[in-house]
Amino acid sequence: MTSTSMYREHILDLYRNPSNFGKLENPTNYYKEFNPLCGDEVEIQLIIKNNVIENVKFIGKGCAISIASASLVTDKIKGKSIDDINKFSKDDVLKMLNIPISPGRIKCATLSLEALRKAII
């Protein structure tokens, strides 16, 4: 198995069994982002206390890339400060996915990051 196919399998596994999927009770912040090009949607729900992400969940539907990305992003931000999250970039998300993403799928890969940024404003 090549490293690329290994990472593709990892993306499919995250799609089937995403981390942090579900709803939070009484989130302090949330935002739903929609990709009109393909119909993917992701809602990020946060509990922020003392400027730190105490808990995070997401709900949504979409392709393997958007769901896997939301899973990876939510894992990454738990326990992080808002300042740390503001430094988190599109390139960081693409590195975490670790598979080639075509220009037409960049929006899928970054949907959760866009929702996160709007949720913490």
Side-chain angles (χ1 to χ4, degrees), residues 27-78:
T28 57
N29 300 61
Y30 62 92
Y31 194 86
K32 182 191 268 186
E33 189 66 41
F34 179 71
N35 182 352
L37 300 174
C38 65
D40 290 1
E41 59 184 53
V42 171
E43 180 178 316
I44 299 283
Q45 301 171 358
L46 307 164
I47 294 179
I48 300 173
K49 290 192 178 163
N50 300 318
N51 222 27
V52 172
I53 305 297
E54 190 174 273
N55 202 354
V56 58
K57 295 267 188 189
F58 79 95
I59 55 174
K61 60 184 176 64
C63 68
I65 290 171
S66 66
I67 299 300
S69 175
S71 180
L72 291 165
V73 166
T74 55
D75 276 344
K76 177 92 172 157
I77 67 169
K78 267 188 198 171

Side-chain angles (χ1 to χ4, degrees), residues 94-114:
L94 296 176
K95 263 186 228 167
M96 286 189 317
L97 287 167
N98 206 17
I99 61 169
I101 305 290
S102 69
R105 303 300 297 272
I106 295 290
K107 177 83 170 160
C108 300
T110 60
L111 197 62
S112 57
L113 179 61
E114 290 177 33

